[in-house]
Amino acid sequence: VSLEGFDDAAADDARMSGAATRATRATRATLANRARRPGSRARRSANFDSVTFAGYTEEERFKYTARAAVGIAPLWFAAQLAFNYSLLYTSVTSNSILSTSSAIFTFGLSVWLVNERYSKERVLAIFAYVLGSALVTLADSAGSTGEPTFVPRDAPGTSDAGDDVVIESGGASKPSAAFGNVLTVLAAALYAGYTAAIRWALPDDPETSMLLFLGLLGLVNLLGVGVAMLIGRAAFGAFRDVLDDCTANAFALVVAKGLVDNVLSDYLWARAVLLTSPTTASVGLSMQIPLAAVAEALLGRAGWLKSASSAAAMLVGCGFVVSGFLGVVYY
């Protein structure tokens, strides 16, 4: 019996199988490349963490980072503006407690936008962090010496005597305090949007330059807000306190604060957002609470040690904060 026919058929099958295999590999490679390209629809898929700048030229990376900075800059500015203005209306204690809601907003947005993992344990960990932060804030407030807080004379509810008015912390009128609390929660939501937007817009890739992104973010705000202020000053006479009454010392302090706070710390935090997750990075900032408590105790400036109740609240609160952070990391 001749096997020539069988050999020819086997050869044809092998060629067809090889062609199909190559086509399948090409299709998979194309899909993989699409999944890795920033901004594609595949970002919402389970392969989100594989998004990279692979195949992008330096010019393309710059343009993409610039577009991300332009889109995210308004969120950053609005969050900072709402937070700073809230301090004019509400007490520092209320502001500190309500600001912790940012972790809740961040978690919800991250689950929706970037497929951050969701679990009941993580939800409980976030609420433990919020509860711990509230306990620490109340303990610190109860243990303070009650020193007065200066409120700018243009704050609502203060007199027009000309000098700064001295009131006790939290002594603002109820309508003003309620408005300040709303501004604080709004700032927390906006800051959560800013955090999630960074993770959504920028790929987790060594080629991602956070220095470039933050530099462009600052440039966009400088140009955009600066032009708006100049127009407002020329057309409506607004922003006199910024453009006319700003002294050299005040400007130097603002620049120094920006370099330390909005450059160094934001750079490290933004890198953490890309390397971990928005929720982990946001809750991770809470580790400053137990560290600050230890530093106060070592320096002998821990007002919360003056009473057993405030000391107990501080210790329990710090425990909740640490537990919340560990829960977010491991669950």
Side-chain angles (χ1 to χ4, degrees), residues 20-35:
T21 300
R22 287 192 295 273
T24 302
R25 289 176 179 175
T27 302
R28 290 177 179 176
T30 301
L31 293 175
N33 289 333
R34 290 178 181 174

Side-chain angles (χ1 to χ4, degrees), residues 214-298:
L214 293 176
L216 292 173
L217 185 77
L219 181 61
V220 170
N221 279 300
L222 174 64
L223 296 178
V225 177
V227 170
M229 292 178 64
L230 291 176
I231 294 176
R233 180 69 179 91
F236 307 104
F239 307 114
R240 293 181 181 178
D241 53 341
V242 178
L243 299 176
D244 297 343
D245 300 335
C246 181
T247 63
N249 290 336
F251 183 76
L253 289 174
V254 169
V255 173
K257 188 263 184 187
L259 289 175
V260 176
D261 184 16
N262 301 123
V263 175
L264 179 59
S265 63
D266 272 17
Y267 170 76
L268 298 175
W269 167 82
R271 285 299 302 173
V273 170
L274 294 184
L275 295 175
T276 56
S277 71
T279 303
T280 302
S282 296
V283 177
L285 293 176
S286 67
M287 293 307 295
Q288 64 184 309
I289 295 176
L291 292 176
V294 172
E296 287 180 341
L298 293 177

Side-chain angles (χ1 to χ4, degrees), residues 110-121:
S110 299
V111 171
W112 177 52
L113 287 176
V114 299
N115 287 334
E116 185 172 337
R117 67 182 183 276
Y118 172 86
S119 66
K120 295 180 180 179
E121 291 81 4

Side-chain angles (χ1 to χ4, degrees), residues 34 37 43 70 82 84 108 120 126 154 159 164 166 180 198 250 254 269 278 282 293 296:
R34 290 178 181 174
R37 290 184 68 83
R43 293 187 64 83
V70 171
N84 289 328
K120 295 180 180 179
I126 292 172
D154 58 348
S159 67
D164 287 342
V166 180
I198 290 178
V254 169
W269 167 82
S282 296
E296 287 180 341

Side-chain angles (χ1 to χ4, degrees), residues 32-84:
N33 289 333
R34 290 178 181 174
R36 285 194 294 267
R37 290 184 68 83
S40 65
R41 287 188 174 183
R43 293 187 64 83
R44 294 179 182 269
S45 69
N47 294 328
F48 175 81
D49 290 334
S50 66
V51 177
T52 69
F53 267 139
Y56 274 50
T57 64
E58 184 176 354
E59 181 180 359
E60 288 175 333
R61 291 196 298 268
F62 177 84
K63 289 182 178 179
Y64 187 87
T65 305
R67 287 196 297 267
V70 171
I72 296 175
L75 278 175
W76 180 89
F77 179 78
Q80 297 292 331
L81 185 65
F83 177 82
N84 289 328

